Amino acid sequence: MSAKDIFHENVKKALQKEQWVITADPLKFKYGNVNFQIDLGAERVLAAERQGEKIAVEIKSFLNPSAVTDFYAALGQFLSYRLALEATEPDRLLYLAVPLDVYETFFQFEFTQAAIQRYQLLLIVYEPVQEVIVQWIN
């Protein structure tokens, strides 16, 4: 079992504040012979539509000295998870959760923005101390 990210509980509480129900902590599933484990699975019922919205959230802190190295690891993990989720749970959207300070700095670089666009990353920007979601980026 992999270790939880340092901001795992903060993001979980932030999602719950936005009326998300945590359905899996972690979200475990299998694709072929490979076992996967994404940090959180969550759902919420949209009253107007009466249909549930399902997401999976991979939480990253970007606390290592090199944001580029953290980004490489996060991107590879995200793309692998998304491929597996598309085959096993195509109705669940995968988000990468990143802290606000990292989003406002490293995620504004031309390279990072190009990667976000090319690989169609869905992002949740969170503020860990206040335990709130600042922005959803689709």
Side-chain angles (χ1 to χ4, degrees), residues 35-130:
N35 293 315
F36 291 91
Q37 184 169 299
I38 300 174
D39 291 324
L40 294 172
E43 293 183 31
R44 79 173 161 188
V45 175
L46 305 175
E49 298 176 3
R50 294 283 183 219
Q51 292 179 337
E53 186 178 1
K54 294 181 181 180
I55 61 172
V57 181
E58 183 59 25
I59 303 164
K60 295 299 175 196
S61 60
F62 286 85
L63 294 176
N64 290 318
S66 171
V68 173
T69 300
D70 279 349
F71 183 70
Y72 293 160
L75 179 60
Q77 196 172 23
F78 181 92
L79 293 175
S80 297
Y81 287 171
R82 186 171 62 193
L83 176 67
L85 268 180
E86 286 171 353
T88 60
E89 292 191 55
D91 60 333
R92 188 180 296 272
L93 291 177
L94 177 62
Y95 284 86
L96 178 66
V98 298
L100 178 60
D101 62 335
V102 175
Y103 179 75
E104 289 178 335
T105 55
F106 179 76
F107 274 70
Q108 299 310 306
F109 294 169
E110 184 179 355
F111 163 75
T112 317
Q113 286 292 308
I116 289 167
Q117 292 300 315
R118 166 76 50 92
Y119 300 113
Q120 301 174 350
L121 299 183
L122 304 181
L123 301 175
I124 295 174
V125 181
Y126 66 90
E127 203 299 309
V129 175
Q130 295 175 5

Side-chain angles (χ1 to χ4, degrees), residues 7-20 57 59-60 96-101 103-104 123-136:
F7 295 135
H8 182 96
E9 291 301 319
N10 308 71
V11 173
K12 183 176 173 179
K13 288 176 185 174
L15 286 167
Q16 290 169 326
K17 286 179 183 178
E18 291 203 358
Q19 307 307 308
W20 287 93
V57 181
I59 303 164
K60 295 299 175 196
L96 178 66
V98 298
L100 178 60
D101 62 335
Y103 179 75
E104 289 178 335
L123 301 175
I124 295 174
V125 181
Y126 66 90
E127 203 299 309
V129 175
Q130 295 175 5
E131 297 176 334
V132 295
I133 294 176
V134 177
Q135 190 174 4
W136 293 81

